[in-house]
Amino acid sequence: MEAIRFDNVTFRYNQTGDLRPPEEVLTDFGPSDYAVRGISFSIQKGEFVAILGHNGSGKSTVAKLMNGLLFPEKGTITVFGMSTRELEKLFEIRKRVGIVFQNPDNQMIATIVEDDIAFGPENIGIEPDEISRRVDWALRCVGMEGYRMASSFRLSGGQKQRIAIAGVLAIQPQVLVLDESTAMLDPLGRKEVLDVVKSLNKQQGMTVVLITHFMEEASLADRIIVLNDGEKVLEGTPRQVFSRYDYLKSIGLSVPFAAKVARILKDKGVPIEADVLTTEELFERICQLL
Amino acid sequence: MLRDVAFGQYYPVDSYVHRLDPRVKLILVVLFIAAIFLSSSWAALGACALLLLFGVAFSRVAVSKVLKSIKPILFLIIFSAVLNLLFYREGTPVLSFWIIQITDRAIRFTVLMAVRLSMLIMGSSLLTLTTTPVALTDGIESLLKPLKAVRFPVHELALIMSIALRFIPTLMEETDRIINAQKARGADFESGNIVARAKALLPILIPLLISAFRRANELSDAMDSRCYTGSKGRTKMKKLKVTYRDHIALFVSLNIMAFIIIDKVMALFPAI
């Protein structure tokens, strides 16, 4: 089943500060004014998709388009058969697509963990007892059972971000979008969050859209969509995408460390296939050569 | 001090007072403050102290914590005490030299005011020590509910309050960071006259304000994403419930306050 579909989506921020829709503002927009240009893709239910791109490639805009925080200028976005343009469907769309943002400090509403997680379910009118059960469940999903009564400001960055994920999970969405949710974390916090996301995808069949500029993170996904200057430039499995080393380099992206090492070895004349993703894989391939 | 208001205050233990309904606690504190200012006899003041003692004893909050709450206003208490001593002129003088004259009633009044002020602060800080900010705002929201009839945005006000409380530590941290960043760039906050110092604050306030707006923007996106559409159709995880505990607390407190009122009436009309 199709969860999210982008059809030829174009979007630009209104940079003049004018509140009228962009087509009514008589200014000269060059092609570079568009944050997103003619993007089409489809995400199936249960899939783990990474959207990869450097800063300013339009990836955060794509996230905000997914649940109607922003509306496309041209093209349509369909979420479980509903267009984000239909304002009366927006509530239903947001119940299905939850977004975790970059800065954990800016997405917590309440000081105490349980009150924060309860915010979402309270908004959609769940019964009090059920909310309490969902809070417990969401905390278990992110491995923070003991922190129900904790104050959010005493938690580490990784813990805060896991609480933010729990806050979205408590609404029981179908799709979890992570908009650079690990960018502000240290390596340990990043690992905590990614482990949670992976297990949600594998064990509960949660559809995950991971928006990132870290190659190693993107390699965890089933499929990668690469954005550059608001356009979709590559799409495929991590192996397919990261085999395009030279192209990725030309648009300012890199490849995971292992793939890079394999590539350098290959260039030096070592008979090794360059489509490795993890260091373990690289280790094995090198062992085979010895 | 702002830090304490925001979070250092809440004393996380499980006790009788902690479990009281926040609405009941709010009402009791208001009544307690009224009772303090009604008490003009030592017996009435003793009754107030007894009530406070009950509160502290059943809250399992460390006594030192409660006493410490007076610290921020200690200067105010001493300042008003000195003024009262010097300028209260009724009664018979017990001490006089130069132009200073201290009367017996001045001493009595001074002690009375100091005790009143300290009890007032201890009583109200007992409320914040035993109630989480969210419970407190929930309580206020519930108590203000009747105002909804006149279209007063009760829910919105409560939400604004809890978000403000939530962001105090975040913005404090941010302020520290900006101060350090500006110091690293050679900013000087310590020297010069008052005007120069106020001007020096500008490079702190402007980035702080901009960052607060940016945070507000992101927070609103996060709230939208989590299906926030206002108070309509919204439920609450924690329903406020008045239990036997609240009945007992109200019963005991109201009895003590009744004593204080009777004491006051008797003092006003000695004939009764």
Side-chain angles (χ1 to χ4, degrees), chain A residues 105-106 115-116 123 126, chain B residues 166 215 226 234-235 238:
Chain A
D105 279 330
N106 294 353
D115 295 320
D116 185 66
N123 287 337
I126 308 290
Chain B
R166 147 75 188 78
R215 283 178 193 280
R226 284 162 77 180
R234 208 165 182 273
T235 49
K238 287 179 199 155

Side-chain angles (χ1 to χ4, degrees), chain B:
Chain B
M1 192 196 157
L2 202 53
R3 243 173 246 264
D4 284 343
V5 174
F7 49 93
Q9 276 288 52
Y10 182 64
Y11 194 85
V13 291
D14 188 21
S15 80
Y16 190 93
V17 178
H18 281 75
R19 285 187 183 202
L20 288 177
D21 188 309
R23 290 171 296 183
V24 172
K25 278 191 268 192
L26 274 165
I27 292 171
L28 282 181
V29 166
V30 173
L31 287 179
F32 179 68
I33 292 170
I36 287 175
F37 283 95
L38 274 178
S39 340
S40 40
S41 74
W42 294 114
L45 219 52
C48 286
L50 186 73
L51 195 58
L52 185 65
L53 212 66
F54 273 150
V56 176
F58 284 99
S59 69
R60 289 178 52 203
V61 175
V63 178
S64 62
K65 268 265 182 203
V66 182
L67 288 175
K68 246 187 219 157
S69 64
I70 304 178
K71 222 171 120 190
I73 64 140
L74 200 60
F75 173 75
L76 188 75
I77 293 177
I78 293 170
F79 187 69
S80 67
V82 170
L83 287 185
N84 282 331
L85 261 187
L86 296 182
F87 296 106
Y88 199 91
R89 283 297 158 93
E90 282 167 54
T92 47
V94 283
L95 191 76
S96 64
F97 60 94
W98 189 39
I99 53 161
I100 293 168
Q101 192 180 52
I102 294 171
T103 66
D104 57 345
R105 286 182 61 187
I107 294 174
R108 184 179 182 276
F109 187 73
T110 304
V111 175
L112 200 72
M113 272 323 268
V115 170
R116 272 177 179 170
L117 273 175
S118 337
M119 286 214 292
L120 177 110
I121 296 302
M122 285 194 278
S124 42
S125 65
L126 193 62
L127 174 73
T128 46
L129 282 165
T130 60
T131 321
T132 61
V134 172
L136 215 52
T137 46
D138 275 356
I140 294 170
E141 182 178 359
S142 175
L143 285 174
L144 292 181
K145 229 171 217 163
L147 289 179
K148 260 189 182 167
V150 291
R151 298 230 177 146
F152 186 80
V154 175
H155 160 78
E156 284 73 10
L157 191 77
L159 188 75
I160 290 167
M161 268 165 57
S162 64
I163 289 177
L165 285 170
R166 147 75 188 78
F167 272 90
I168 287 173
T170 309
L171 291 177
M172 298 284 284
E173 241 171 56
E174 178 109 35
T175 313
D176 284 346
R177 215 167 24 232
I178 294 170
I179 288 176
N180 284 334
Q182 301 290 29
K183 271 188 184 163
R185 288 170 175 77
D188 178 12
F189 302 117
E190 272 97 26
S191 59
N193 59 14
I194 235 170
V195 179
R197 279 197 216 186
K199 267 189 183 160
L201 284 180
L202 218 58
I204 299 172
L205 292 179
I206 291 172
L208 190 66
L209 200 68
I210 291 171
S211 131
F213 274 107
R214 210 194 53 234
R215 283 178 193 280
N217 224 335
E218 283 182 28
L219 185 73
S220 67
D221 272 349
M223 286 170 69
D224 270 342
S225 282
R226 284 162 77 180
C227 304
Y228 181 70
T229 52
S231 60
K232 236 194 192 165
R234 208 165 182 273
T235 49
K236 286 240 157 217
M237 174 171 70
K238 287 179 199 155
K239 271 215 188 116
L240 297 177
K241 238 173 43 215
V242 176
T243 63
Y244 71 96
R245 291 169 204 281
D246 303 295
H247 296 148
I248 297 172
L250 275 172
F251 180 75
V252 173
S253 316
L254 288 179
N255 267 315
I256 293 177
M257 285 165 197
F259 168 76
I260 293 164
I261 292 170
I262 291 167
D263 182 75
K264 181 80 184 170
V265 171
M266 298 242 286
L268 286 176
F269 309 101
I272 302 174

Side-chain angles (χ1 to χ4, degrees), chain A residues 256-267:
Chain A
F257 174 72
K260 201 169 176 177
V261 172
R263 169 74 193 206
I264 293 167
L265 287 173
K266 201 180 173 188
D267 285 348

Side-chain angles (χ1 to χ4, degrees), chain A residues 205-261:
Chain A
M206 174 77 75
T207 314
V208 174
V209 179
L210 181 72
I211 292 167
T212 182
H213 63 262
F214 292 112
M215 311 302 142
E216 269 80 9
E217 281 180 16
S219 71
L220 299 171
D222 302 326
R223 190 151 57 94
I224 299 178
I225 294 168
V226 183
L227 299 184
N228 185 45
D229 289 339
E231 282 173 333
K232 185 175 91 174
V233 289
L234 275 181
E235 183 173 356
T237 63
R239 269 175 224 284
Q240 288 167 345
V241 168
F242 290 130
S243 65
R244 303 282 304 274
Y245 179 77
D246 294 317
Y247 177 72
L248 287 174
K249 215 174 161 187
S250 76
I251 60 167
L253 288 170
S254 175
V255 297
F257 174 72
K260 201 169 176 177
V261 172

